[in-house]
Amino acid sequence: ALADADEAIRAMSRRGLAAAVDAASDAAAAAAVAGELRSVLRHEEARARAAAAELAFALAPGRGLAAAGEARAELVAAVVIAQADQDANVRRVADRVWRGAAEAGGA
């Protein structure tokens, strides 16, 4: 839905994932959200990849994701790969996520 042609659907999807990011206070919930974001970071649509990277930035510092060590490591790895994206906006956001993860430790 983050890649839908309809702006209203993309906005609704982003709000839904943002709410999931905000609610991901335990390891299982954070791991589930991180898995979805990892998947979208590989989508063919640049807007979807950029939105997923922005949501990863919001999720990364959370305690829930910190407790989900493997899921956090996999999300950070996907962000590192996104730093080489063909789209400049995706690269910019992925770089911001990487710097935030590195500053928080464990990156």
Side-chain angles (χ1 to χ4, degrees), residues 38-73:
R38 276 193 328 271
S39 174
V40 177
L41 279 168
R42 294 187 305 266
H43 196 278
E44 65 186 45
E45 174 62 46
R47 288 181 298 207
R49 294 191 310 271
E54 290 169 1
L55 290 165
F57 182 75
L59 181 66
R63 287 191 308 261
L65 190 59
E70 184 176 337
R72 183 179 190 280

Side-chain angles (χ1 to χ4, degrees), residues 7 9 29 42 49 51 59 65-66 71 78 80 85-86 92 99 107:
E7 174 61 34
I9 292 174
R42 294 187 305 266
R49 294 191 310 271
L59 181 66
L65 190 59
V80 168
D85 197 277
Q86 65 188 23
R92 180 187 55 77
R99 282 185 277 124

Side-chain angles (χ1 to χ4, degrees), residues 41-42 49-50 52-54 56-57 73-103 107:
L41 279 168
R42 294 187 305 266
R49 294 191 310 271
E54 290 169 1
F57 182 75
E74 291 172 356
L75 182 59
V76 170
V79 166
V80 168
I81 293 168
Q83 286 179 307
D85 197 277
Q86 65 188 23
D87 184 81
N89 188 43
V90 174
R91 289 191 310 267
R92 180 187 55 77
V93 177
D95 184 58
R96 189 174 67 155
V97 176
W98 168 252
R99 282 185 277 124
E103 289 172 6

